[in-house]
Amino acid sequence: MADIVNERGISDADILKDTGLQVSELRKRSTLIRYEQVLKMIENAISLYPEPGLGLLVGSRENITSWGLLGFVMMSAPDLKTSLEIGTKYLAAGPALVDIRCYPADNDYCIEAYTPMPLGSLLPFVVEEIFSSLYATFPVILGKPFMAKEIHLSYSEPSYSDKYDKTFNCPVYFDSPGNYFIVDSSFLSSPLVTANSVSAELCISLCEESLINNQYDIDIEYNIRRILVRTPNTFPSMEQVADELGMSIRSLRRYLVEKETSYQKILDDVRMEIAIQLLENSKVSLADIGERVGFSEYNNFRKAFKRWTGTSPTAFREGKT
């Protein structure tokens, strides 16, 4: 991103304004950039860049090696399905602005992007980047033309939607329940021209090591949020979350008490943040938003939202327009 905005005369110092980072730190591999610092950098870049759709441009200029070790292991896989499965697994090796999950959808295959933490107005940039990056990368590792069947986005249609048509060249639907990149399932068995079993074995061992090391570095509460936002309309129970974290429910409950929080509080926070993100960025109906965060009855959602925020969903949305 920094290189792209530099081309338009925007300096590294401009991008780093109010982040607490020094220009000398930006391009050092050893620099640890915090989640909120990345968001501020994106916010600065968007506000300074003279054209809309920066996320589409950044993603389309990426290649699979831009994803670091994860990219190398994905490109070494034997076929596209295996590559996506690897990406989904090892993306969890560290904090990320966006997570992905992949699953069959009728006769197609869905790559869903979801955000562990609320992004507000920065959501379009992040989704644009990941989806346009996939679009740029797939033809290279497949060694043949690639086209998605359709793309669904959880936010409203932006003023520059013509750039989506040029980038993706497939039907794009806005105000959807989630962010879905739909692929024809026939692509899944396609062999990768970049496949290398020796490299794959080495990279997987390094990713496994990173995954083990980061299990303890990443806050458990953050990982709980990651699990919850993965399937927002069917939230897992505390027992299911504890099982996925490799903890007993007693240990998880004790940890949360020590952090002066609870599973229910984290769940309510996640529900509230998903609802706010949809209210701020989309025209999805209030009833559908309620269902998206686990309420089959709108009245129950309205009462819960007012308890969380002090205002109703209707008043909140009107206040943001």
Side-chain angles (χ1 to χ4, degrees), residues 194-223:
T194 52
N196 186 309
S197 60
V198 176
S199 294
E201 186 176 350
L202 173 61
C203 291
I204 285 174
S205 66
L206 292 173
C207 283
E208 285 288 348
E209 182 180 338
S210 177
L211 193 62
I212 293 170
N213 292 339
N214 279 283
Q215 281 180 340
Y216 304 100
D217 293 338
I218 300 175
D219 188 81
I220 291 176
E221 185 174 343
Y222 178 85
N223 276 332

Side-chain angles (χ1 to χ4, degrees), residues 115-116 118 224-225 228-236 263-279 288-297 300-301 303-309 313 316:
T115 57
I224 294 172
R225 297 175 65 90
L228 292 175
V229 299
R230 195 166 58 210
T231 53
N233 55 338
T234 53
F235 294 104
Y263 178 77
Q264 186 61 50
K265 183 179 185 307
I266 297 171
L267 175 58
D268 284 345
D269 285 347
V270 167
R271 284 171 145 178
M272 176 186 70
E273 289 160 2
I274 292 172
I276 287 175
Q277 188 154 277
L278 289 169
L279 288 167
D288 285 345
I289 291 175
E291 288 187 12
R292 179 71 173 163
V293 295
F295 293 93
S296 57
E297 298 291 333
N300 292 335
F301 167 56
K303 291 175 184 176
F305 191 85
K306 191 163 187 178
R307 185 175 70 251
W308 298 332
T309 66
F316 184 92

Side-chain angles (χ1 to χ4, degrees), residues 220-221 224 238 242 245-264 266:
I220 291 176
E221 185 174 343
I224 294 172
M238 186 175 179
L245 291 172
M247 304 173 69
S248 69
I249 189 168
R250 181 178 296 179
S251 296
L252 177 57
R253 186 176 287 114
R254 184 169 57 249
Y255 171 85
L256 295 175
V257 168
E258 290 173 356
K259 294 292 183 178
E260 298 182 348
T261 188
S262 67
Y263 178 77
Q264 186 61 50
I266 297 171

